[in-house]
Amino acid sequence: MVAASPSGPGHSRHQGPVLDLQQLLVRYPGAAAPTLDGLDLSLAAGDSLALVGPSGCGKSTVARAVLQLLPAGSRCEGGLLLAGQDPRRLRRGPLRRLRGEAAGLVFQDPMTRLNPLLTIGEHLADTLAAHRPAWTRREVRRRAEDLLERVGISPERYGSYPHEFSGGMRQRLAIALAMALQPPLVIADEPTTSLDVSVAGQVMAELSQLCREAGSALLLISHDLALAGRWCQRIAVLDQGRLVEQGPARQLLTAPSSPLAQRLVAAARAREGGSTPAAPAQAPVLLELEQLRCWHGLPSLPWNPRWLKAVDGVSLTLRQGETIGVVGASGCGKSTLCRALMGLAPVRGGAVKLQGQDLRQLRGRPLRRARRRIQMVFQDPLACLNPAMAVGEAIADPLLIHSLATKPQARQRARELLAAVGLNPPESFENRLPRQLSGGQQQRVAIARALVLEPQVLLCDESVSMLDAEVQTEVLALLRELQQRLGLGMIFVTHDLSVASGFCQRVIVLEGGRIVEEGPGERLLRAPQAAITRTLVDACPRLPELV
């Protein structure tokens, strides 16, 4: 273990609460109601508190208020002390120092913080040099390498760039940046949403260990109650900007008292133990994959080619009304499989048969017509929706692109689909921009857009991983209802084996681009055979058993 470096000359721990919020009110510019409405919250050194609640409850606004990263024109009133100082009263220079030295922030997507033009070593060195001007370059370099080693990154990768790292490795770097100055408070805002369960467990273990060693308080913002219970001593439930319940994690997860906490826990338990729908008996085959291969060329000599075998001989059959779950660790080939089926990744071998027709043999207009029958729902709906286009236009757009309807017809069809995915009345949603909707509403729009071309096969790539337990349950129920009504076949990619087991008739486990195990999800959870399946089961956080 590498010893932690001192925080620097003149650094001392604040005596008293690390974070103290008293009747905090935050109202964004133009908002009809405050996002935080009289919030009381306190963390002492060494505390670990998870802040949970439904989408739009104000969880992330707490972090923005504490660090004063609110939009211009926002109102922020009430008591706010970070390490004994009110950040609202500080000028720019002292405020920047307080942000770095009193609070470290771990974002949901580390790429939003990392500069693609800087190496990972330069990221750390810049932070250390800015806050420790008396340190020599050698001291800065040594501390940066120590931090990398502490979060499981070899110091030999000091000169690597962010794009050369996996999502889990980038999140480890984000933790190193947050802990670089050993702040008394660390705020982790959905730090594992985009990671598979095994990597998420490793990342949270490293973050928790570093906080314990530094004596830092941890404020974990999460929609995942099982994750919150596993890594935090206390849980606080937020609703419409108000604290409705808080207490020891185990007590809150086994005997919640507030109606909201009861609903959230019930939704999480239903997700863990959901009843799998019956498999369709002898339904027509929609999709057949035969030894599908997606290999990517790696830099090599012409006479000695090297390949990354992202998908390496996958065969499966999907029937009408059936859902197949695809799970595996990061880099196993899950998303590449979806992109290959959508025609977004090159296929080097095998066959992709849609209703008996091999898509690899088609070209031009026949291929475009066939591809309309396979559509995809992505993990982040904002990544597939034009931020400047109203949601009604976004849903209608594919019909216009494929010349399948006039503008009035497309607009009417968009309204019908908005209603079909539960956004009623559609007239009140069609003119909104994506950012004016909650996360669950955005995902419903993405589902409507995927259905507008009337596909037979729907690919869902981590399509509920960013949603809180209640909204996740609603979206899964919506997908199931749409499947039964429209006869869809679904391939459901997820990093959460418990979700797959409750939602899918069959689950396949990928490792190294190959299927290493398959069967009913309940059996895989109860008696996993492959080593990677056992790893995924062990790493999957679960709610404590009811006594």
Side-chain angles (χ1 to χ4, degrees):
M1 181 179 293
V2 180
S5 298
S7 295
H11 179 85
S12 62
R13 289 279 175 179
H14 164 70
Q15 301 301 314
V18 169
L19 179 65
D20 191 22
L21 309 180
Q22 299 289 337
Q23 289 296 298
L24 185 67
L25 182 145
V26 173
R27 188 193 297 268
Y28 288 117
T35 302
L36 296 181
D37 190 12
L39 177 64
D40 293 323
L41 199 65
S42 181
L43 274 84
D47 276 356
S48 57
L49 172 71
L51 195 59
V52 305
S55 297
C57 70
K59 301 189 297 289
S60 293
T61 298
V62 174
R64 296 190 189 104
V66 169
L67 298 174
Q68 284 300 287
L69 296 174
L70 298 167
S74 300
R75 285 178 55 199
C76 184
E77 302 171 356
L80 168 54
L81 291 177
L82 172 59
Q85 298 188 69
D86 188 339
R88 296 168 296 185
R89 300 182 181 277
L90 299 179
R91 294 182 180 273
R92 180 175 298 179
L95 177 59
R96 290 181 64 186
R97 286 194 295 274
L98 183 72
R99 284 172 178 161
E101 298 180 13
L105 180 60
V106 182
F107 292 88
Q108 176 175 340
D109 180 4
M111 285 303 282
T112 60
R113 182 177 181 182
L114 302 178
N115 186 333
L117 302 180
L118 295 182
T119 67
I120 63 165
E122 288 170 340
H123 278 90
L124 288 164
D126 280 2
T127 298
L128 292 167
H131 291 269
R132 302 290 179 259
W135 285 13
T136 65
R137 292 179 64 181
R138 180 175 294 182
E139 288 174 320
V140 167
R141 174 76 181 235
R142 187 183 303 122
R143 173 62 173 156
E145 290 181 346
D146 286 349
L147 284 164
L148 290 176
E149 195 168 349
R150 289 305 315 280
V151 297
I153 300 175
S154 170
E156 295 176 356
R157 303 296 304 273
Y158 190 92
S160 299
Y161 287 88
H163 72 270
E164 297 177 296
F165 276 16
S166 67
M169 293 286 276
R170 288 196 290 261
Q171 198 60 290
R172 291 168 193 259
L173 173 58
I175 291 172
L177 285 164
M179 299 299 301
L181 303 170
Q182 295 183 311
L185 173 66
V186 175
I187 302 174
D189 190 357
E190 300 282 10
T192 62
T193 298
S194 58
L195 307 177
D196 71 67
V197 287
S198 57
V199 175
Q202 295 166 11
V203 165
M204 284 305 303
E206 287 158 1
L207 178 58
S208 299
Q209 178 66 19
L210 287 169
C211 285
R212 282 194 296 270
E213 291 176 7
S216 302
L218 172 63
L219 177 60
L220 173 66
I221 297 171
S222 179
H223 66 264
D224 190 329
L225 293 181
L227 183 83
R230 183 168 183 172
W231 297 107
C232 292
Q233 303 156 344
R234 292 189 295 136
I235 295 177
V237 183
L238 202 62
D239 187 29
Q240 296 181 351
R242 293 177 177 271
L243 199 61
V244 296
E245 185 175 354
Q246 69 172 317
R250 183 176 183 84
Q251 176 183 317
L252 192 144
L253 294 177
T254 55
S257 59
S258 66
L260 174 61
Q262 290 169 357
R263 292 202 313 271
L264 292 175
V265 172
R269 291 196 182 280
R271 190 194 71 171
E272 285 188 358
S275 57
T276 308
Q282 299 304 312
V285 172
L286 292 178
L287 183 69
E288 292 176 274
L289 307 185
E290 298 175 358
Q291 292 296 307
L292 183 67
R293 298 193 303 277
C294 299
W295 295 2
H296 307 307
L298 297 173
S300 58
L301 297 172
W303 56 86
N304 186 25
R306 296 168 57 231
W307 302 95
L308 172 62
K309 299 179 180 181
V311 175
D312 191 26
V314 169
S315 299
L316 61 84
T317 300
L318 176 70
R319 294 182 178 275
Q320 188 178 58
E322 182 183 24
T323 302
I324 297 177
V326 182
V327 302
S330 294
C332 70
K334 304 188 298 289
S335 294
T336 301
L337 177 63
C338 286
R339 289 197 295 270
L341 296 180
M342 288 292 294
L344 301 176
V347 174
R348 291 197 60 84
V352 179
K353 295 181 180 179
L354 181 62
Q355 294 177 306
Q357 190 175 34
D358 191 347
L359 299 185
R360 297 196 65 214
Q361 305 301 318
L362 300 180
R363 298 291 184 273
R365 186 170 296 177
L367 178 60
R368 288 188 67 196
R369 282 199 299 268
R371 289 250 178 247
R372 294 204 300 258
R373 290 179 279 163
I374 302 179
Q375 294 297 314
M376 188 164 174
V377 181
F378 295 88
Q379 175 178 355
D380 182 359
L382 285 178
C384 66
L385 297 174
N386 186 331
M389 182 180 284
V391 298
E393 295 177 64
I395 296 170
D397 201 41
L399 292 173
L400 302 178
I401 290 172
H402 289 274
S403 302
L404 296 175
T406 63
K407 282 190 176 183
Q409 290 170 336
R411 184 172 184 178
Q412 178 57 32
R413 182 60 180 147
R415 287 177 176 173
E416 292 170 0
L417 282 166
L418 282 170
V421 297
L423 295 178
N424 285 303
E427 291 78 11
S428 69
F429 287 94
E430 64 179 349
N431 293 318
R432 297 191 197 180
L433 295 175
R435 290 199 176 275
Q436 295 175 311
L437 304 176
S438 69
Q441 290 170 338
Q442 291 167 1
Q443 197 60 285
R444 289 171 185 267
V445 171
I447 293 170
R449 191 175 193 270
L451 293 177
V452 74
L453 294 177
E454 300 181 357
Q456 274 84 50
V457 176
L458 194 63
L459 311 177
C460 299
D461 188 5
E462 300 283 11
S463 53
V464 297
S465 64
M466 297 179 70
L467 307 176
D468 67 67
E470 268 197 310
V471 178
Q472 195 175 95
T473 301
E474 291 173 3
V475 171
L476 289 175
L478 170 65
L479 286 171
R480 184 170 292 171
E481 188 270 328
L482 290 170
Q483 179 182 47
Q484 292 170 350
R485 177 148 48 93
L486 304 176
L488 295 169
M490 284 198 287
I491 292 181
F492 188 81
V493 174
T494 180
H495 61 255
D496 193 330
L497 188 52
S498 63
V499 172
S501 68
F503 185 68
C504 307
Q505 286 96 357
R506 284 190 294 138
V507 177
I508 65 173
V509 182
L510 287 185
E511 184 178 31
R514 292 177 175 271
I515 297 175
V516 295
E517 188 169 0
E518 63 180 304
E522 185 181 349
R523 181 186 66 75
L524 297 187
L525 278 174
R526 187 181 65 254
Q529 300 299 310
I532 184 61
T533 314
R534 291 195 294 271
T535 299
L536 292 173
V537 171
D538 292 342
C540 190
R542 311 277 290 181
L543 292 175
E545 295 291 334
L546 296 173
V547 178

